[in-house]
Amino acid sequence: MTNFLQATFAVFRKDITAELRSREIIFAMMVFSMLVIVIFNFALELDPATRKEVTSGVLWATFAFAGTLGLNRSMAVEKDRGCLDGLLLAPVDRSAIYFGKVLSNLAFMFIVEAFVLPLYSALYNVNLFNPGLLLVILLGSIGYTAVGTLLASMAVQARTRDVLLPILLFPIAIPVLLSAVKASTGFLNGVEMAEIWPSLNLLIVYDVIFTAVAFMVFDAVVEE
Amino acid sequence: MIEVKKLIKRFGMKSVLRGVDFRVERGEFVALLGPNGAGKTTFLRILSSLARPSLGEVKVAGYSLPNEAAQVRARLGVVSHMPLLYGDLTAQENLEFYARMYGITEYAIRITEVLDMVGLASRRNDLVRTFSRGMAQRLAIGRAVLHDPEVILFDEPYTGLDQDASSMLDEVLKSVAAQGRTVVMTSHDLARAEDLATRFDILTRGVIAASSSREALGSNNLLTFYKQALAA
């Protein structure tokens, strides 16, 4: 167990250190998110009430697109430099590598989300600093990253990996995105908790199931 | 130390290895030679647990693959033509990362020893992306021996190196082999293989076509032996 945790945090620490130097992934994700938000802002010239209605959809579309970009780059860095083999040669349970990558991808997602929320609030004049919404973002990001990291490690083996990841990821992530949008809308519109709970429960179940599935199949996915 | 019996590897309908028998004793330095597409890299990937055999028996350091892969990996170092290093980390950070992955606890002294061995102690705090190909390859050897493995596999370690870098790599390889490790190296460079190895195996068309120790070669040079094996 000690070796497992040590390897998980070694992968996480390595990814964060490398990213702080290159800023390759986070910068691309931030620019992309900013563009998505600005484009939506000009495309949807809506009255304030309607803006509040579409906020969750725009936010989660931004997170999903930017997240896919980050997931792709994070695994491509390992593959292009042959480092994935270096990781797989380590005498640790390979799911430690998976959890290390999930933690770093999650950290990149959170950084981008922390950038997007104030930007969105300023552009759309909507207050997004709602504890309930932050909880939904946490749960949704975990689910999206858990399944995204697994699929990115699968897609990275293919020549068409840039196209393949969204094709694989979006259909599988539909439950998490729909629940996240529904729960976010509920919190932003001050809906009763009883109406929000089913979506929150679905998010929690999705997080647990996909983390468990990824833990079981990651070894088979990365092996030749 | 390495024992392979009737190894077959298929990719779809295509058989890359067609019944390889291969045995390496402790402390031997075996050069695995053969033309492009002979299956050398596939064979090393199976020995290193990165690929599964389709059929056959593979044992490394007394553990069978793929069932005891983690035990094999703990006793194995691999150097390929790609250095398996992170360009945005320094030499020291790369080795620290791999030390943690291999569960080495007191790694500070070991990293200094390894950097001294590969002649990169003065560049320990430089980013690997600023290294020349030869320096990166020497650091890759440092990475591979960091956990003091019993067996080391080299897959075309000279690819892309100039004359000076190759000569420096020769010295590092000799010092690695002199420490009593079992080494298997694939190469197209017959002169270098002849200089370094104690045994020569020729892999062609998915089987070991010929094998000879340095002593058994006698007055024949390796090139003649290699050509005869390919022609047979």
Side-chain angles (χ1 to χ4, degrees), chain B residues 33-120:
Chain B
L33 309 167
N36 288 335
K40 301 188 294 294
T41 297
T42 302
F43 183 56
L44 286 203
R45 287 183 73 79
I46 291 172
L47 290 185
S48 61
S49 80
L50 288 172
R52 281 173 179 259
S54 304
L55 274 173
E57 215 177 279
V58 182
K59 272 191 173 181
V60 178
Y63 295 96
S64 64
L65 286 170
N67 297 336
E68 297 171 302
Q71 287 91 328
V72 170
R73 286 186 217 127
R75 289 158 182 83
L76 189 79
V78 177
V79 178
S80 77
H81 51 275
M82 291 179 96
L84 320 186
L85 296 165
Y86 295 91
D88 291 317
L89 300 184
T90 64
Q92 170 89 21
E93 286 167 345
N94 266 287
L95 294 183
E96 282 177 2
F97 167 64
Y98 280 107
R100 289 189 198 106
M101 293 301 285
Y102 279 84
I104 304 169
T105 44
E106 301 294 322
Y107 52 73
I109 297 167
R110 180 66 186 146
I111 287 174
T112 304
E113 281 172 8
V114 163
L115 286 170
D116 280 336
M117 188 192 85
V118 297
L120 290 170

Side-chain angles (χ1 to χ4, degrees), chain A residues 113-152:
Chain A
E113 284 159 356
F115 166 77
V116 164
L117 290 179
L119 182 74
Y120 189 96
S121 293
L123 279 175
Y124 286 72
N125 199 22
V126 179
N127 181 17
L128 294 176
F129 294 94
N130 177 318
L133 176 67
L134 296 181
L135 174 70
V136 176
I137 289 175
L138 173 76
L139 292 173
S141 302
I142 291 173
Y144 193 74
T145 311
V147 69
T149 304
L150 178 71
L151 295 176

Side-chain angles (χ1 to χ4, degrees), chain A residues 6-7 10-11 13-14 17-18 21-22 78 80-83 85-92 94 97 223-224, chain B residues 11 45 48-52 70 73-74 78 82 84-90 93 97-98 100-103 127:
Chain A
Q6 192 181 1
V11 173
R13 189 172 158 170
K14 178 266 299 173
T17 310
R21 294 236 170 83
S22 69
E78 302 288 352
D80 292 346
R81 295 168 188 165
C83 296
D85 281 352
L87 291 178
L88 299 179
L89 285 166
V92 291
R94 283 172 172 169
I97 300 166
E223 196 157 72
E224 217 169 73
Chain B
F11 291 105
R45 287 183 73 79
S48 61
S49 80
L50 288 172
R52 281 173 179 259
R73 286 186 217 127
V78 177
M82 291 179 96
L84 320 186
L85 296 165
Y86 295 91
D88 291 317
L89 300 184
T90 64
E93 286 167 345
F97 167 64
Y98 280 107
R100 289 189 198 106
M101 293 301 285
Y102 279 84
L127 294 182

